[in-house]
Amino acid sequence: MPYPQLTWSTRKQLTRLGSALRGGVRPELEAVYQRIFDRDIERLGIGNDFYPVSSAANYSLMYLVSRLLQNFKFRQIVELGAGQTTLLIDAFKKKTIFDGSATTIEHDKNWKDFIQERVGHELKLVPLSSSHYVGGYDLTSLEISSKIDFLLIDGPPASGTGYLSRHSALPFVEQLNENGFVVVIDDAERRGESELAKRIADILHSKHIDFRVGDVLAAKRQTVFASGVFESAAFF
């Protein structure tokens, strides 16, 4: 045991801190992104009923999604993992700031139904696979009819033997809009998500696609791939 003299709770907190330090996150900036997010939501007249705490989207992710939706006209958003960002996308859609299509993928039926009652766009229930990427989405029966402008990867849960579960998002890279796209990987400070970012970069290089990469650092790390008309998103 790495911390034999400490309680289980303290050991868990220290393990998270160690992971955060290795991933290069900056928790002290969380309050900065919260202030920016709160300011923008108030200015846009959107009720601030969000809870970016615990395992939900943190404030830097909420800031990033909000800024992307304010600055760009996305036609097709695909979101992996339902939650606070799903509610945020819906709020922008109800204000007609975002007028494209959105599809959210979720594996937990109860959670899917809970969020679906609160948003206008479709949530698709997609089971997890026990093969290939352990705990990843089973996308064999899922179809996205149009090219993807904005791909948000924040699901499924990734831990333990399933730390590569979010690599199940890789087929969506083949559906990115060749005229421009944004890909956001949440929790990019973690090993699995960091490796996913490298794999996405390799695929884009193999396709000879020009793109930029940026990171947003707070309590968590978001890695951003941006191309074409959305290239400036890498600098948000």
Side-chain angles (χ1 to χ4, degrees):
M1 296 175 64
Y3 309 107
Q5 76 281 20
L6 302 177
T7 65
W8 178 87
S9 177
T10 302
R11 290 200 306 272
K12 187 175 182 180
Q13 292 176 8
L14 287 172
T15 300
R16 287 178 174 174
L17 176 59
S19 175
L21 291 173
R22 289 192 298 273
V25 298
R26 298 187 61 185
E28 72 276 10
L29 293 181
E30 189 76 0
V32 175
Y33 288 111
Q34 178 182 359
R35 286 195 292 271
I36 297 172
F37 174 74
D38 289 347
R39 178 202 66 189
D40 286 357
I41 291 301
E42 181 179 6
R43 175 175 53 81
L44 295 170
I46 295 174
N48 197 344
D49 300 322
F50 304 102
Y51 294 93
V53 294
S54 188
S55 59
N58 73 311
Y59 274 107
S60 62
L61 179 57
M62 297 293 279
Y63 146 83
L64 182 57
V65 173
S66 172
R67 187 170 177 186
L68 288 169
L69 293 177
Q70 290 179 73
N71 281 268
F72 301 122
K73 295 296 183 183
F74 297 117
R75 290 173 294 177
Q76 178 66 63
I77 296 175
V78 172
E79 177 191 33
L80 309 185
Q84 296 300 303
T85 51
T86 313
L87 301 175
L88 181 61
I89 291 168
D90 180 70
F92 271 77
K93 196 167 182 62
K94 287 174 178 173
K95 284 288 184 179
T96 67
I97 302 167
F98 165 59
D99 59 3
S101 297
T103 299
T104 297
I105 294 170
E106 174 58 43
H107 74 282
D108 185 293
K109 185 179 185 306
N110 290 334
W111 185 244
K112 178 258 184 189
D113 291 344
F114 177 82
I115 298 295
Q116 184 68 84
E117 292 177 356
R118 291 159 173 77
V119 302
H121 70 270
E122 182 182 11
L123 273 70
K124 292 182 178 292
L125 184 65
V126 176
L128 299 183
S129 172
S130 58
S131 59
H132 201 39
Y133 300 115
V134 176
Y137 292 119
D138 182 353
L139 301 174
T140 54
S141 60
L142 180 70
E143 290 187 9
I144 303 295
S145 58
S146 59
K147 292 289 187 178
I148 301 170
D149 301 312
F150 178 16
L151 175 62
L152 174 55
I153 305 173
D154 190 21
S159 61
T161 58
Y163 80 99
L164 296 178
S165 64
R166 294 184 181 179
H167 289 227
S168 60
L170 287 171
F172 289 119
V173 178
E174 302 295 334
Q175 292 184 254
L176 293 174
N177 192 333
E178 59 273 9
N179 294 320
F181 58 80
V182 176
V183 178
V184 173
I185 304 174
D186 192 29
D187 304 300
E189 75 278 3
R190 302 191 306 206
R191 176 186 172 190
E193 285 76 358
S194 176
E195 292 181 13
L196 174 59
K198 293 175 183 177
R199 294 188 69 182
I200 289 176
D202 288 343
I203 292 172
L204 296 178
H205 281 305
S206 71
K207 291 177 172 294
H208 306 290
I209 296 174
D210 292 327
F211 63 94
R212 299 274 188 171
V213 182
D215 289 290
V216 179
L217 306 177
K220 300 180 183 180
R221 182 188 197 115
Q222 289 84 38
T223 292
V224 181
F225 292 86
S227 175
V229 295
F230 307 123
E231 184 179 280
S232 61
F235 305 100
F236 281 6

